[in-house]
């Protein structure tokens, strides 16, 4: 069957094991509509809050099966920092999320770091590590405080892992730290442009300031969790703000060391899907190892008459994304050798 489907193909199927919501790049600001960084796309800063309200209303109607929502990063726009209203805008968005009948897991994107330091985020309501699970007999699966990652099991044999795509970054960091200086050195070596958000002329256009990457420490942790999941015969969904597959994004919106993350995923059998935001047009591919990569369309570039969120229904043999507005429906079958493990 084609990976894309019409809405009719989804109707009438049996009850899912569980469902979860997905939304990305809300980028709320109390501002008139404007344009993106290069002046080519309209952004609906104020209306994005209305889109979120609409999403929450629909998710609450589905609350019998909706176990949680994934907020894939960029919850408020960087313009808030310019106008010194970051905390106020964040409170306005979180106030809407409080109306949700299910818990929300927050991912951190570049706009979080335009508005707040990493220390601030660690102590804020955007830190949802407390919703994570511990694997008591595997201490190597406990994440470090140096990056924002955790994993959780909403249903037996199904694990979600949140990654920190700005663990390597020049955003939100103490500029006197060795880590910041190493990242800035690498970025400038890869990007000689005066404006570090400009990918023009680069052979590797992902090396811009609004992207980031994964430290070796985080990748080792990620590998340890996937090793446990393989042994435990689990299915895994990986979540991060920045896409890690070039076929599911444009070439400027990719993690700096996306190949390192992919090679770890491909060395394990358990991963079924990678969910990202960041690239507002969205994207999708199924890679050579049968892993589905979904990049969710951004709320911020969604006109008032449309929408941009989805609900994923999880079945023993597949996940079904029921999109709204700009987000298309998709049926994503697991690799054949995995389907029986969840039956």
């Amino acid at each position: 069957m084609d990976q894309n489907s019409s809405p009719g193909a989804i109707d009438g199927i049996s009850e899912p094991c569980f469902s979860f919501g997905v939304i990305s790049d809300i980028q709320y600001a109390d501002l008139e509509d404007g344009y993106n960084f290069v002046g080519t796309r309209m952004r609906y800063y104020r209306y994005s809050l209305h889109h979120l309200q609409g999403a929450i209303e629909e998710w609450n109607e589905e609350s019998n099966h909706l176990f949680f929502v994934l907020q894939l990063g960029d919850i408020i726009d960087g313009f808030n920092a310019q106008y010194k209203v970051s905390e106020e805008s964040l409170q306005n968005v979180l106030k809407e999320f409080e109306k949700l009948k299910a818990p929300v897991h927050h991912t951190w994107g570049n706009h979080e770091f335009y508005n707040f330091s990493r220390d601030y985020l660690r102590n804020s309501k955007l830190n949802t590590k407390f919703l994570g699970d511990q694997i008591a007999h595997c201490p190597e699966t406990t994440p470090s405080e140096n990056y924002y990652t955790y994993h959780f099991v909403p249903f037996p044999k199904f694990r979600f892992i949140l990654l920190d795509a700005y663990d390597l970054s020049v955003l939100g960091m103490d500029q006197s730290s060795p880590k910041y200086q190493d990242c800035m050195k690498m970025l400038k070596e890869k990007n000689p442009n005066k404006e570090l958000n400009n990918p023009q002329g680069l052979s590797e256009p992902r090396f811009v300031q609004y992207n980031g990457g994964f430290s070796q420490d985080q990748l080792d942790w990620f590998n340890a969790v996937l090793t446990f999941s393989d042994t435990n015969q689990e299915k895994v969904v990986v979540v991060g703000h920045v896409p890690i597959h070039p076929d599911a994004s444009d070439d400027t919106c990719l993690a700096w060391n996306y190949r390192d993350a992919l090679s770890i995923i491909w060395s394990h059998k358990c991963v079924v899907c990678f969910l990202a935001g960041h690239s507002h047009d969205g994207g999708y591919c199924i890679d050579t190892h049968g892993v589905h990569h979904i990049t969710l369309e951004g709320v911020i570039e969604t006109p008032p008459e449309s929408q941009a969120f989805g609900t994923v229904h999880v079945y023993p043999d597949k996940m079904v994304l029921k999109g709204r507005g700009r987000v298309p429906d998709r049926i994503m079958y697991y690799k054949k050798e995995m389907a029986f493990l969840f039956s």
Side-chain angles (χ1 to χ4, degrees):
M1 179 183 272
D2 183 43
Q3 298 297 338
N4 295 314
S5 71
S6 67
I10 292 173
D11 295 339
I13 48 184
S14 60
E15 292 284 289
C17 303
F18 69 98
S19 303
F20 63 94
V22 284
I23 194 164
S24 192
D25 297 84
I26 299 165
Q27 288 183 222
Y28 167 72
D30 187 13
L31 292 172
E32 297 299 318
D33 299 345
Y35 284 91
N36 64 350
F37 180 69
V38 288
T40 55
R41 301 291 296 273
M42 183 66 83
R43 291 187 168 180
Y44 305 90
Y45 296 106
R46 195 172 283 135
Y47 206 87
S48 66
L49 201 63
H50 294 283
H51 284 315
L52 174 61
Q53 288 163 345
I56 287 169
E57 281 172 24
E58 287 203 41
W59 282 327
N60 281 343
E61 287 169 14
E62 301 174 353
S63 60
N64 287 350
H65 289 295
L66 195 85
F67 280 27
F68 58 91
V69 166
L70 296 173
Q71 187 277 114
L72 299 172
D74 286 4
I75 195 169
I76 63 172
D77 194 85
F79 270 130
N80 289 291
Q82 261 177 255
Y83 294 102
K84 297 184 168 46
V85 289
S86 298
E87 292 193 20
E88 184 185 329
S89 290
L90 179 60
Q91 289 316 311
N92 286 339
V93 181
L94 291 176
K95 200 160 61 183
E96 297 306 323
F97 271 112
E98 283 168 11
K99 298 171 186 173
L100 189 64
K101 292 177 184 174
V104 57
H105 295 264
H106 292 293
T107 310
W108 298 350
N110 47 312
H111 283 262
E112 276 74 14
F113 294 111
Y114 297 154
N115 283 284
F116 306 111
S117 70
R118 189 168 275 273
D119 283 344
Y120 180 96
L121 290 170
R122 232 181 247 122
N123 295 298
S124 77
K125 288 185 177 175
L126 292 181
N127 181 351
T128 44
K129 261 190 178 184
F130 68 92
L131 295 171
D133 286 341
Q134 300 294 323
I135 305 170
H137 58 286
C138 284
E140 67 275 16
T141 62
T142 302
S144 157
E145 287 304 312
N146 295 331
Y147 43 83
Y148 175 62
T149 58
Y150 64 94
H151 52 86
F152 64 100
V153 178
F155 190 86
K157 301 293 183 182
F158 217 104
R159 189 174 301 275
F160 284 68
I161 301 175
L162 272 70
L163 294 183
D164 184 344
Y166 291 89
D167 179 15
L168 297 183
S169 171
V170 295
L171 304 176
M173 278 198 202
D174 175 359
Q175 296 189 7
S176 65
S177 69
K179 193 172 182 180
Y180 170 87
Q181 289 166 7
D182 288 347
C183 289
M184 182 58 83
K185 182 171 179 280
M186 182 195 69
L187 184 58
K188 285 184 169 177
E189 282 170 2
K190 297 281 191 179
N191 184 344
N193 293 328
K194 190 175 179 184
E195 169 52 71
L196 288 173
N197 273 331
N198 180 8
Q200 197 173 347
L202 303 186
S203 60
E204 298 175 292
R206 67 186 183 278
F207 284 99
V208 285
Q209 193 168 254
Y210 56 75
N211 294 330
F214 313 100
S215 68
Q216 191 56 53
D217 188 25
Q218 182 183 172
L219 292 170
D220 290 344
W221 169 83
F222 183 38
N223 188 57
V225 179
L226 294 184
T227 300
F228 176 86
S229 290
D230 275 349
T231 306
N232 206 34
Q233 296 193 321
E234 296 174 343
K235 288 187 176 63
V236 173
V237 173
V238 185
V239 181
H241 181 66
V242 184
I244 62 164
H245 200 293
D247 294 344
S249 176
D250 66 61
D251 59 2
T252 60
C253 288
L254 273 173
W256 288 344
N257 57 339
Y258 73 87
R259 291 188 185 93
D260 294 340
L262 276 179
S263 68
I264 287 173
I265 287 171
W266 290 345
S267 70
H268 296 275
K269 292 181 177 177
C270 54
V271 179
V272 295
C273 182
F274 189 97
L275 285 168
H278 197 46
S279 182
H280 297 168
D281 283 342
Y284 169 80
C285 75
I286 182 167
D287 69 28
T288 52
H289 290 66
V291 177
H292 300 274
H293 294 259
I294 291 185
T295 303
L296 212 69
E297 287 73 9
V299 171
I300 183 62
E301 290 181 12
T302 301
E305 66 275 10
S306 188
Q307 247 304 1
F309 71 98
T311 304
V312 180
H313 304 289
V314 179
Y315 294 88
D317 62 334
K318 62 184 173 291
M319 295 197 304
V320 176
L321 168 62
K322 184 74 181 76
R324 315 301 204 288
R326 296 173 65 218
V327 177
D329 296 334
R330 299 191 187 279
I331 298 180
M332 298 164 286
Y333 288 95
Y334 311 137
K335 294 168 271 194
K336 284 188 173 61
E337 69 269 21
M338 294 196 69
F340 75 93
L341 295 176
F342 200 44
S343 301

